[in-house]
Amino acid sequence: MPQSISKVNYFRLLSDIISIVCVFVFSSFITKPELEKSDSILLLLLVIGWYFSTKISNTYDDFRTERYIGELLLIFQNVLVQSVIAGQVLFILNRHEYTRRFIFAYIVILLIVLIVKNYIIKKILFYYRQKGGNIRNVVFVGYNEITANLITQIQENPHYGFRVIGIIAKEEEVNDIGGNTYLGDLRKFLSMNEDYKIDEIIITTDEISNSLMQEVFMVSERRAIRTKIVPSYITYYPSRLQFKFFGNYPLITFRSEPLQEYHWRLVKRVFDIVFSLLVFLFIFSWLFPIIAILIKLDSKGPVFFRQYRWGKNNKKFKCFKFRSMRPESKDVTENGAFNQAKMNDPRITKLGQFLRSSSLDELPQFINVLLGDMSIVGPRPHAHEHNIRTKDEVDSYLVRHWIKPGITGWAQVNGFRGETKTIEQMEQRVKYDIWYIENWTLGLDFKIIFMTVYNVIKGEDMAY
């Protein structure tokens, strides 16, 4: 576990493991005729699995400021891992006769025990901290919007277990600190002999020289005070910062990117391939010939429309679609501007209107998915000319090209599909795309796919 874990969290971990052991024995007793040697192996794996799943999910790291609903979600998540471990181990051990009954009893009882136990611990801690126990005294260095917000959170949530001792700030900032105790400027605080009972110093200002910052650390270490820093730029990137090391040097990145992790890219790629093959097997195999024949009967020209679009890392690729426009149609106007499809666009054929409104024209892009140019879900790829025009007009536009483009995406299912008439509309689309990049999960992909199917059935105003 992280070095910063408190005694309270060690107690929570230990009590959870004891709960797992007790629930395991009880569940075995009510669902099996007798315990076997292999049960000890399963129990050991369940305990190890709980340790690592809670470590990965940071279950015990932020107990002081975690709301109870957040703890419930973590409990459900970790218990789900327990059910997977139990199911796999019992399957390998060929213990099918008791598997379902045992897993059902174990998971249900464990959920009830952990929920009740954590609720009781939460209430005991809340009462204990109200009486002044398990409280950490905090001093803030610097007074600004960040400081004010943190103090408000502490005051409105006494169960966090923090008490604000005072503010260290410049003399000209004294009138701005409200009802908080003023402890003087930083130099005065460092030189004073008076002993405050301080557990933590939180620095929220960047107006401190390197030499003075080093002195703060030295004095804090001498007085056994933990020092923490809230970067001023946190106000611009409140939930996206990630802290990593490059050798011995700490690096702060401004955006969370789950798909930077190789294992998640592999999971997404496997899902893309399996899903695409199922589409080809059950839908494309019979629907493709029908659409191809209808396109040929409706107008002269090729079945497919191929257009260069930008993919991951701005790499161009040929994107496949069923042709929905007349073959002589142009993507670029005479003055060189990209000619987006519009409502009642005369270039669109009669069959093309149906294909576009039903999104069936996008089906050939599953070929691009199998080729590795696209994903099932991701930011929609734009034509080359569209990218050239927009990348300098919309901030962060090219961030959407950090991952593979998708057949459908978070922006599309939230109403931003088709023609973008204004820069503001494109900015909103880009915000949704970047949110997807920062918050990707496989579950989110499933959600977007279901929303896409629902929108297609319901019909969309911008599908033209």
Side-chain angles (χ1 to χ4, degrees):
M1 302 298 293
Q3 292 182 353
S4 60
I5 190 170
S6 65
K7 291 181 180 179
V8 171
N9 291 331
Y10 274 123
F11 171 76
R12 293 179 62 223
L13 172 61
L14 180 61
S15 63
D16 284 347
I17 291 176
I18 293 174
S19 298
I20 288 172
V21 174
C22 294
V23 171
F24 180 90
V25 172
F26 180 74
S27 301
S28 299
F29 177 76
I30 63 176
T31 59
K32 303 176 183 179
E34 60 182 6
L35 289 174
E36 301 180 12
K37 291 183 178 180
S38 59
D39 287 327
S40 60
I41 298 174
L42 174 57
L43 177 57
L44 177 62
L45 292 174
L46 288 172
V47 171
I48 294 174
W50 181 266
Y51 174 82
F52 282 105
S53 69
T54 54
K55 182 179 177 67
I56 291 171
S57 61
N58 297 321
T59 300
Y60 303 112
D61 290 355
D62 300 309
F63 182 76
R64 284 185 177 272
T65 57
E66 182 68 70
R67 293 183 178 181
Y68 187 63
I69 184 64
E71 291 182 26
L72 286 181
L73 293 174
L74 288 175
I75 290 173
F76 279 104
Q77 177 181 324
N78 292 313
V79 170
L80 177 61
V81 174
Q82 291 280 292
S83 67
V84 172
I85 294 173
Q88 292 298 316
V89 172
L90 290 174
F91 178 79
I92 293 172
L93 295 175
N94 198 26
R95 300 275 298 281
H96 307 300
E97 63 272 24
Y98 306 118
T99 299
R100 292 182 180 177
R101 279 185 293 168
F102 169 76
I103 293 179
F104 179 78
Y106 175 71
I107 296 304
V108 171
I109 298 173
L110 184 62
L111 269 176
I112 295 173
V113 169
L114 293 179
I115 289 173
V116 172
K117 179 187 71 68
N118 279 284
Y119 180 78
I120 293 174
I121 290 177
K122 197 78 171 176
K123 287 296 183 182
I124 292 174
L125 276 174
F126 180 70
Y127 177 78
Y128 185 50
R129 286 168 177 166
Q130 278 188 320
K131 297 298 182 181
N134 192 231
I135 293 292
R136 300 188 68 81
N137 295 320
V138 179
V139 166
F140 286 94
V141 176
Y143 192 83
N144 49 36
E145 183 182 355
I146 298 173
T147 311
N149 289 338
L150 289 174
I151 291 175
T152 299
Q153 288 187 40
I154 290 172
Q155 293 173 343
E156 292 179 351
N157 298 276
H159 59 280
Y160 286 179
F162 292 107
R163 180 192 295 123
V164 179
I165 298 298
I167 307 294
I168 300 170
K170 297 177 182 178
E171 291 185 3
E172 56 266 28
E173 297 175 331
V174 174
N175 295 328
D176 299 327
I177 66 174
N180 298 290
T181 303
Y182 180 61
L183 302 179
D185 61 19
L186 191 54
R187 281 293 183 189
K188 179 181 179 182
F189 177 77
L190 292 175
S191 60
M192 69 173 51
N193 295 321
E194 182 179 355
D195 269 341
Y196 288 96
K197 179 63 178 73
I198 301 173
D199 298 298
E200 293 185 9
I201 290 177
I202 300 179
I203 301 173
T204 61
T205 177
D206 54 4
E207 298 180 3
I208 302 177
S209 65
N210 290 336
S211 59
L212 191 56
M213 184 74 77
Q214 188 174 4
E215 191 174 345
V216 171
F217 290 144
M218 291 175 61
V219 171
S220 298
E221 293 286 312
R222 193 180 306 131
R223 299 179 183 177
I225 301 172
R226 290 183 173 88
T227 302
K228 299 177 181 179
I229 300 174
V230 181
S232 58
Y233 42 79
I234 193 73
T235 55
Y236 302 103
Y237 300 91
S239 62
R240 310 174 218 165
L241 296 180
Q242 284 192 326
F243 187 83
K244 296 182 180 180
F245 276 91
F246 182 77
N248 294 324
Y249 295 93
L251 296 178
I252 295 176
T253 58
F254 289 106
R255 295 195 185 278
S256 170
E257 295 179 72
L259 289 174
Q260 279 285 83
E261 302 291 340
Y262 177 78
H263 57 279
W264 290 128
R265 292 203 305 272
L266 180 62
V267 167
K268 188 171 175 64
R269 181 60 182 153
V270 170
F271 170 73
D272 285 342
I273 292 174
V274 172
F275 192 93
S276 298
L277 291 176
L278 291 174
V279 169
F280 272 93
L281 180 63
F282 294 105
I283 299 177
F284 221 38
S285 57
W286 59 270
L287 188 57
F288 172 80
I290 296 175
I291 294 178
I293 293 171
L294 291 175
I295 290 175
K296 284 294 187 180
L297 292 175
D298 184 58
S299 63
K300 294 181 179 180
V303 171
F304 288 125
F305 169 71
R306 291 176 292 181
Q307 184 183 59
Y308 277 111
R309 300 197 175 188
W310 286 17
K312 184 179 179 181
N313 298 324
N314 304 329
K315 182 180 178 181
K316 289 196 294 185
F317 68 97
K318 279 189 176 181
C319 180
F320 293 92
K321 295 179 70 174
F322 280 128
R323 182 174 60 84
S324 59
M325 292 187 177
R326 307 183 194 283
E328 66 273 12
S329 302
K330 302 294 183 182
D331 292 333
V332 181
T333 62
E334 293 181 358
N335 59 7
F338 178 67
N339 194 11
Q340 274 189 291
K342 305 174 179 62
M343 184 176 292
N344 301 319
D345 196 317
R347 296 173 297 167
I348 301 175
T349 64
K350 291 182 180 180
L351 177 64
Q353 291 178 346
F354 169 75
L355 294 177
R356 297 174 77 93
S357 63
S358 61
S359 298
L360 291 176
D361 63 321
E362 310 284 359
L363 282 179
Q365 289 169 29
F366 283 100
I367 299 173
N368 290 113
V369 174
L370 292 177
L371 292 174
D373 297 321
M374 294 180 64
S375 180
I376 304 296
V377 181
R380 285 291 298 153
H382 297 156
H384 173 71
E385 294 79 6
H386 200 177
N387 286 292
I388 294 296
R389 187 196 74 185
T390 312
K391 67 184 180 66
D392 296 325
E393 296 178 338
V394 178
D395 292 337
S396 306
Y397 177 80
L398 292 181
V399 171
R400 63 196 303 276
H401 294 156
W402 284 356
I403 64 173
K404 291 180 182 179
I407 297 176
T408 185
W410 184 237
Q412 280 62 44
V413 298
N414 282 282
F416 291 93
R417 63 162 292 174
E419 183 185 11
T420 48
K421 297 179 180 179
T422 65
I423 293 299
E424 289 73 21
Q425 288 178 323
M426 181 57 74
E427 288 175 345
Q428 289 300 315
R429 177 180 288 190
V430 170
K431 285 182 180 179
Y432 276 101
D433 289 335
I434 293 177
W435 186 91
Y436 171 80
I437 293 172
E438 294 177 341
N439 296 275
W440 176 88
T441 64
L442 190 60
L444 180 59
D445 276 3
F446 277 111
K447 177 180 179 179
I448 292 172
I449 291 171
F450 284 123
M451 290 176 69
T452 301
V453 174
Y454 173 77
N455 288 343
V456 169
I457 296 173
K458 181 188 67 173
E460 296 180 271
D461 296 335
M462 296 299 292
Y464 51 81

